[in-house]
Amino acid sequence: MGYLRLLRQRSVLVLWLAQSLSVLGDRLYALAVMWVVYASTGSASLMGLVAVVESLPYIVLGTAGRHVVARFSTFGRLARVDAARTLVAVSLPFLWSPDPWGVALLLVGVLLLGSLGALFDPNLGALVPDLVEPERVQQVTGLFDLTGRIARIAGPASIGLLLLAVSEVQLFALNGVTFAVSSVALGWLARRYAVAAAGGGAVERPGKARSAVRAWPVVRAHPRVGLAVGLHGVALFCSAVTAVGMPALLATRYGAGAAVYGLVTAAVGVGALLGNPLASSRRSGGWLAVYCGAWALQGVATACMGVVLNLPALLLLALVSGLVTPATSVTLRAHLGAFAPAERLRLMSVDQTVIRTGGTAGMLLLPFLVDASPRGAFVVGGVMVAGSALAALVVSSRVLRPDAALPLPASARGSAVVAE
């Protein structure tokens, strides 16, 4: 019921519908680009290179581009970013050819889309909390987290049907259409808040981007946030074990193929859908204990996947893993959403940088561990996550000084959503 009440607000409804479609397009794009590269080159190494190229802008801009990222902290400027992503995605099918030149152009397109995504993602995450009152930030964070959960199930499920009508490369153009819809929705929000500002509403001056603050002073004042972001990076590093190792584990341990892999993936997705409402309804207070506890439970579930003896037990562990996943993502993002707009944007950008760095490093290094022993890789990865989560919880309670008081959220002073 909490989500339904949120969706009665026109701004939340428009943005949620547009982003749900856009995230679904991203899933189609991610599947298509990997398949196109592999089908044309037969190289798994090039598939890995695509993932690295797409993540590199997040790492660079998150590390050294805080002023650049902050310049796009309005709905109007994000609408322009999505318009640019539309042009890049729609042009890829026309530039593609199954030869080295075509692959090179595709990598350039992936780099451009990654750069634009690195500008878009933290800014959108920082704007969403300003759509609602401070006490509803947890709920609205859960609502937008739900878009990714649905897309992870709907994307693979729909791609088979879509490929009956279009080619893999044309899926890029479909992704471009979803960017176009998102651009229109963001432009509408920009005009809506510009009108509110002109009418004397409590909205920041239209066109005024948020300042680019340094992350380190904020993290020093709130060391538990830094600890949580670091744990996020470790967990995403280890997530490469399940991403790369699950097919190998199923094949070597159970002699299973793609059908069972799809079943395991579906179990994770169903668990995440069930866990999302629970995560969004959690009351404030004790956020780090919930966050670390969820990661510890997921680490234990991952480690147990490497030692269980039958498929039903593996499916149950996959369900548990999915069930606790929203408690990690929603809890951290909702806590960051309580910061004032400039600090919120910077911390969300840092979090994106850390998880992209961890995920990229994991995809480069952990496949070697999977090749050596799929079962051992699951045990090692799970123990690393669970151990890091428990260590973070101990450090936060016994070593770190208390956090400073959070800056008053802009939404508590009146809506701080800015327009162009």
Side-chain angles (χ1 to χ4, degrees):
M1 290 301 294
Y3 286 168
L4 293 178
R5 285 194 294 269
L6 283 174
L7 292 173
R8 291 193 188 109
Q9 300 181 32
R10 186 176 298 179
S11 297
V12 175
L13 176 62
V14 168
L15 186 59
W16 184 76
L17 288 175
Q19 291 309 306
S20 296
L21 183 61
S22 182
V23 172
L24 178 59
D26 289 342
R27 298 300 298 177
L28 297 178
Y29 160 77
L31 292 167
V33 70
M34 291 298 186
W35 181 261
V36 166
V37 169
Y38 188 76
S40 60
T41 66
S43 172
S45 299
L46 277 177
M47 292 173 66
L49 179 61
V50 168
V52 172
V53 167
E54 198 267 340
S55 293
L56 188 61
Y58 286 85
I59 299 171
V60 173
L61 288 174
T63 303
R66 60 188 173 96
H67 294 286
V68 177
V69 174
R71 289 182 62 84
F72 293 87
S73 56
T74 70
F75 280 132
R77 295 181 184 181
L78 289 185
R80 296 177 187 176
V81 171
D82 260 353
R85 292 205 286 185
T86 300
L87 293 176
V88 174
V90 170
S91 66
L92 283 177
F94 299 98
L95 299 175
W96 164 254
S97 58
D99 53 36
W101 176 247
V103 173
L105 285 175
L106 183 62
L107 289 175
V108 170
V110 169
L111 181 63
L112 288 174
L113 289 173
S115 300
L116 294 168
L119 298 175
F120 186 92
D121 292 346
N123 277 301
L124 181 67
L127 284 169
V128 164
D130 289 332
L131 295 172
V132 297
E133 301 81 6
E135 62 272 14
R136 303 183 76 181
V137 168
Q138 184 92 17
Q139 281 190 341
V140 79
T141 302
L143 176 64
F144 280 82
D145 176 80
L146 187 62
T147 63
R149 308 298 168 196
I150 296 173
R152 284 178 174 85
I153 297 175
S158 61
I159 195 168
L161 296 175
L162 288 172
L163 289 177
L164 296 176
V166 301
S167 67
E168 292 88 347
V169 174
Q170 289 171 329
L171 290 176
F172 300 150
L174 289 179
N175 190 32
V177 172
T178 68
F179 288 142
V181 172
S182 176
S183 179
V184 171
L186 291 166
W188 176 83
L189 284 167
R191 290 190 297 273
R192 176 181 175 88
Y193 285 101
V195 170
V203 183
E204 290 186 10
R205 179 169 61 84
K208 179 184 177 183
R210 293 169 179 177
S211 58
V213 302
R214 296 175 59 198
W216 181 239
V218 184
V219 173
R220 284 187 63 187
H222 305 276
R224 286 172 174 78
V225 171
L227 195 65
V229 171
L231 173 58
H232 204 182
V234 172
L236 267 290
F237 172 82
C238 295
S239 69
V241 167
T242 53
V244 176
M246 185 58 73
L249 178 68
L250 291 172
T252 58
R253 178 71 170 170
Y254 303 103
V260 175
Y261 178 60
L263 191 60
V264 173
T265 303
V268 175
V270 169
L273 288 178
L274 295 175
N276 176 272
L278 298 175
S280 67
S281 61
R282 184 190 66 83
R283 301 302 178 188
S284 59
W287 70 275
L288 188 58
V290 173
Y291 183 74
C292 292
W295 276 125
L297 184 56
Q298 188 170 94
V300 170
T302 300
C304 289
M305 288 179 186
V307 298
V308 293
L309 301 177
N310 56 69
L311 278 174
L314 182 67
L315 290 171
L316 179 61
L317 290 169
L319 183 69
V320 171
S321 179
L323 191 66
V324 300
T325 297
T328 61
S329 58
V330 174
T331 300
L332 179 57
R333 292 185 71 83
H335 185 73
L336 297 183
F339 282 81
E343 289 81 4
R344 180 195 312 156
L345 170 59
R346 186 60 183 138
L347 288 174
M348 287 188 174
S349 180
V350 169
D351 184 52
Q352 286 273 353
T353 304
V354 170
I355 63 176
R356 287 282 180 162
T357 302
T360 300
M363 291 298 289
L364 291 174
L365 299 176
L366 293 185
F368 296 104
L369 182 59
V370 173
D371 286 339
S373 171
R375 294 176 61 194
F378 272 78
V379 173
V380 171
V383 169
M384 282 182 63
V385 172
S388 298
L390 294 175
L393 191 58
V394 171
V395 169
S396 68
S397 60
R398 298 188 179 182
V399 178
L400 295 182
R401 57 182 172 77
D403 289 351
L406 283 179
L408 183 64
S411 50
R413 304 189 300 266
S415 176
V417 178
V418 289
E420 182 71 37

